[in-house]
Amino acid sequence: MIKLIVNRGLVALFVLLGALFSVFSINYFLPTDIVDTLLAENAASTEVAENLRKELGLDLPFSKQFSNYLVDLMHGDFGQSAIDGEFVIEKIWTQLPATVVLTVASLLIAVIVGITLGVLAAVHRNTVIDYIARLVGLFGISMPTFWSGILLILIFSISLGWFPAMGSDGWRSVILPAITLGLLGAGFIVRVVRNSMLEVLNEPYILTLRAKGLTEHIVLYRHALKNALIPAMTMIGVLLGDFLGGTVVIETVFARQGLGRMVADAITAKDLPIIQGVVFFIAIVYVMINLCIDISYSIIDPRIRSRQVKGG
């Protein structure tokens, strides 16, 4: 088990380094930099701009700039905003709670709706219930979040007036954006749970349990569902990371505070340190979540742990 954790940890570390290298490279090779942002409203001479670049170390080779940034990250320094000079990590911690609330609410909706419809679709295969569940899943996957978000605003905010159309004040403001993201996640979970449940129901041990006289309810929900949910765990972990990193559109549509909105504003203002810091922070969270899911996945199913250890 320790070998498995070490192996997965090393893979996660290489993924993080790759993500950091990619983000830093994109910023480095852009035709603009932080100096252009700082001097955008000032008619500064070329000499002033070059002196500022030297002061900030932007005249150094790529390898030196990257190593310096890597050392700063190891000390928890994600840089400073080019607009207001605030530390990026402090701005991240300020906006993170709003994004976490939205992500958790969305994931709860996705898990509850997705697992319920997936199980019903498998149990009532090729019936009206199955077709409805699959249609809901297809709708969730196919509809762009900005479109479904605007649709929910038109119906439940403007027409019915049940929920606020924008803002981050109170639990009512979380409902519509959480449903928008939750439907997307539910669409994927429905398909995974349905297919997994159908596969499990055809296993020999299910036939044995039924032959022993166990009720269908016990067979389905105590034995079949437990094994059918194992593949869904990976999907849930991926969705959690996707929700954290994919709130840019939702927080913009619903005018909410959060990391996504902060990135959108930073892109508009060309605040490269903010963009770079938030993207890498989300990459860290995404990789750590999937590492935990990967390890727990192996703990739940010993067969997978055995294959992974043998395969190195």
Side-chain angles (χ1 to χ4, degrees):
M1 190 62 195
I2 296 178
K3 181 180 179 181
L4 173 66
I5 295 175
V6 171
N7 289 339
R8 294 308 171 198
L10 290 175
V11 172
L13 179 60
F14 281 114
V15 171
L16 281 178
L17 288 175
L20 175 61
F21 182 81
S22 300
V23 174
F24 190 86
S25 299
I26 292 173
N27 280 343
Y28 179 83
F29 290 108
L30 284 175
T32 184
D33 58 23
I34 186 175
V35 173
D36 297 321
T37 304
L38 289 171
L39 302 179
E41 299 180 357
N42 301 319
S45 64
T46 304
E47 183 179 356
V48 173
E50 291 302 320
N51 289 335
L52 184 56
R53 286 189 174 90
K54 289 181 180 180
E55 182 180 343
L56 296 174
L58 299 179
D59 61 326
L60 298 174
F62 174 84
S63 58
K64 185 61 176 177
Q65 290 191 42
F66 181 71
S67 61
N68 289 341
Y69 186 66
L70 191 59
V71 170
D72 290 339
L73 285 178
M74 290 180 179
H75 291 85
D77 184 3
F78 281 64
Q80 293 176 267
S81 169
I83 303 300
D84 54 25
E86 292 187 30
F87 288 102
V88 174
I89 191 64
E90 292 181 359
K91 296 175 74 71
I92 289 175
W93 290 128
T94 300
Q95 300 296 327
L96 183 61
T99 299
V100 170
V101 169
L102 174 59
T103 299
V104 172
S106 303
L107 191 65
L108 285 175
I109 293 174
V111 170
I112 293 173
V113 174
I115 292 179
T116 301
L117 292 181
V119 172
L120 290 176
V123 174
H124 303 280
R125 184 180 182 182
N126 295 329
T127 64
V128 175
I129 296 177
D130 184 19
Y131 297 143
I132 293 175
R134 292 161 65 183
L135 182 63
V136 172
L138 180 62
F139 177 84
I141 295 174
S142 303
M143 294 302 102
T145 51
F146 73 88
W147 183 88
S148 55
I150 293 174
L151 184 63
L152 289 176
I153 290 175
L154 290 174
I155 296 175
F156 295 102
S157 294
I158 297 178
S159 298
L160 299 177
W162 290 356
F163 303 102
M166 58 185 64
S168 306
D169 299 326
W171 65 269
R172 295 178 69 251
S173 65
V174 182
I175 300 298
L176 293 185
I179 291 175
T180 304
L181 265 182
L183 286 178
L184 172 64
F188 290 102
I189 295 177
V190 166
R191 299 177 65 177
V192 171
V193 172
R194 178 184 182 275
N195 294 336
S196 180
M197 192 73 173
L198 288 175
E199 183 178 345
V200 169
L201 289 176
N202 290 323
E203 291 289 336
Y205 77 90
I206 295 296
L207 297 177
T208 302
L209 292 173
R210 286 170 172 162
K212 288 183 176 180
L214 294 180
T215 63
E216 192 67 13
H217 180 82
I218 294 178
V219 171
L220 290 176
Y221 299 104
R222 182 176 297 180
H223 298 280
L225 182 59
K226 178 181 177 181
N227 293 320
L229 288 181
I230 293 178
M233 286 185 58
T234 302
M235 176 59 65
I236 293 171
V238 171
L239 287 175
L240 180 56
D242 287 345
F243 286 173
L244 278 173
T247 56
V248 176
V249 174
I250 296 299
E251 290 177 350
T252 301
V253 169
F254 290 92
R256 287 182 54 83
Q257 297 298 313
L259 294 181
R261 180 72 180 278
M262 187 168 70
V263 170
D265 293 341
I267 292 174
T268 303
K270 298 181 180 179
D271 196 341
L272 298 182
I274 291 289
I275 300 171
Q276 185 171 277
V278 173
V279 170
F280 183 60
F281 179 82
I282 292 175
I284 294 175
V285 175
Y286 189 92
V287 170
M288 295 307 297
I289 289 173
N290 282 276
L291 175 62
C292 293
I293 292 295
D294 193 15
I295 294 174
S296 62
Y297 192 62
S298 303
I299 293 174
I300 293 174
D301 194 339
R303 297 171 300 176
I304 296 174
R305 181 170 67 249
S306 176
R307 289 199 299 267
Q308 290 176 333
V309 172
K310 289 180 181 178

